[in-house]
Amino acid sequence: MQDRITTQYAVDWIRDRLPSGFTPKSAIVLGTGLGDVTHALDTVATITYQEIPGFPRSTVEGHAGQLLAGRLAGLPVLVWQGRFHLYEGYSPAQVCLGVRVSALLGATILVVTNAAGALDPLFSPGELLAITDHVNLTGKSSLAGPNIDDWGPRFPDMSRVYSQRLLDLAVSEAMRLGIRLERGVYAGVLGPQLETPAETRMLRLLGADAVGMSTVMEVIAARHMGMEVLGLSCLVNKNLPDCMAEVTLDEVIAVAGVAGKKLSALVEAVAGALAGERADRREE
Ligand code: HPA
């Protein structure tokens, strides 16, 4: 009940600060060091997380903690710059607040980005990955507790979490831009510690191609509310059991800064394609 009240209060508060008639089509969640896409945004409102009633503050370096509303390549979007993680001690409901607010403000698409470690030995740091499916290893669910029937069903289907349509769009836009885009399964872990070699070996055995500490809570909440989801990872380190390398946050942010440029270009291109699609439909 509290989740519903907090969420609705934030929705009403944000709606009052958006230009009238502005309905977001997509929410975009930006991960660690991946804020670059905001430069291309034709911004109509900037709101810091601190201002929003009921919003937690993000505590991680590289997370600005602000919501931008605007048009990206013509598509009306809400950009959540900085996110909340379970490992910071936030509840699943706090982690998902922005996604739920976006859906209630009218967004039907979620583009979620993150920095992840590469488990597939053929992947390289600095490359991008489109998430085809995930394994939720956090031990949590954003849907535990009383179901809010207005938001979605008690037992939402998870057989096709990441939209094939958006995946195809991302692949074709990446090809057009000459950006290499891997595809694979994302394992979402609680963190904040990185994996031991034994854990990395286990993740690979479980069928994961990349691993990170975010995304799964938000994606589950988005699917619950019927949003179409595109997940894009920026591979920032190799995570291989037989040649484990130390990972530092500085390194993650540095690689994300470079690969983040490619990610931004791709997100912008996907937004442009989606905006064009809307225009095409209007012309029919
Ligand atoms: N493991 C877990 N989370 C991560 C990693 C990793 O190797 N890299 C970036 N986030």
Side-chain angles (χ1 to χ4, degrees):
M1 201 54 191
Q2 192 53 45
D3 293 347
R4 186 195 195 128
I5 293 167
T6 307
T7 308
Q8 195 55 53
Y9 198 70
V11 167
D12 295 338
W13 190 91
I14 293 167
R15 193 186 279 118
D16 281 348
R17 281 149 189 85
L18 297 177
S20 65
F22 180 88
T23 304
K25 177 72 185 164
S26 176
I28 301 172
V29 177
L30 300 178
T32 312
L34 302 175
D36 211 45
V37 75
T38 57
H39 298 310
L41 189 72
D42 185 4
T43 307
V44 297
T46 304
I47 297 166
T48 62
Y49 290 170
Q50 281 136 276
E51 294 175 79
I52 309 173
F55 251 67
R57 265 182 217 194
S58 71
T59 63
V60 184
E61 205 183 311
H63 285 244
Q66 59 179 2
L67 166 63
L68 303 171
R71 283 174 194 280
L72 185 64
L75 189 76
V77 295
L78 293 176
V79 180
W80 299 91
Q81 192 176 18
R83 60 145 65 89
F84 305 104
H85 303 85
L86 292 174
Y87 67 74
E88 294 175 88
Y90 296 117
S91 67
Q94 287 176 310
V95 170
C96 299
L97 193 49
V99 167
R100 288 183 167 137
V101 163
S102 303
L104 293 169
L105 286 168
T108 56
I109 293 173
L110 172 67
V111 178
V112 63
T113 70
N114 60 50
L119 295 168
D120 185 324
L122 298 177
F123 294 170
S124 308
E127 281 176 0
L128 304 182
L129 171 130
I131 303 176
T132 53
D133 202 352
H134 74 222
V135 185
N136 174 14
L137 293 170
T138 64
K140 310 257 181 175
S141 169
S142 26
L143 307 179
N147 186 55
I148 298 179
D149 296 335
D150 292 349
W151 290 355
R154 171 75 289 189
F155 301 108
D157 182 64
M158 287 281 137
S159 62
R160 183 73 253 181
V161 172
Y162 296 86
S163 156
Q164 191 62 48
R165 176 181 90 99
L166 296 179
L167 204 59
D168 291 346
L169 201 61
V171 167
S172 66
E173 289 302 315
M175 278 174 79
R176 195 174 60 77
L177 295 171
I179 294 173
R180 187 182 170 100
L181 182 64
E182 306 290 0
R183 267 162 278 185
V185 173
Y186 174 92
V189 295
L190 179 62
Q193 73 285 353
L194 289 139
E195 293 70 40
T196 64
E199 287 165 345
T200 293
R201 197 171 287 113
M202 174 195 75
L203 293 171
R204 196 73 187 126
L205 282 171
L206 291 179
D209 302 299
V211 54
M213 303 172 192
S214 65
T215 302
V216 290
M217 290 300 109
E218 291 118 304
V219 167
I220 291 167
R223 286 304 297 147
H224 181 234
M225 297 181 95
M227 295 175 97
E228 258 189 295
V229 178
L230 174 65
L232 297 171
S233 293
C234 199
L235 301 170
V236 289
N237 58 290
K238 271 203 177 202
N239 200 328
L240 305 177
D242 298 315
C243 53
M244 291 297 280
E246 242 185 80
V247 181
T248 64
L249 183 61
D250 286 348
E251 200 179 295
V252 166
I253 291 175
V255 179
V258 177
K261 299 220 174 355
K262 287 193 284 186
L263 185 76
S264 302
L266 181 57
V267 170
E268 193 184 340
V270 168
L274 288 168
E277 206 172 84
R278 278 157 30 98
D280 293 349
R281 235 182 271 142
R282 268 201 303 274
E283 277 161 25
E284 278 167 15

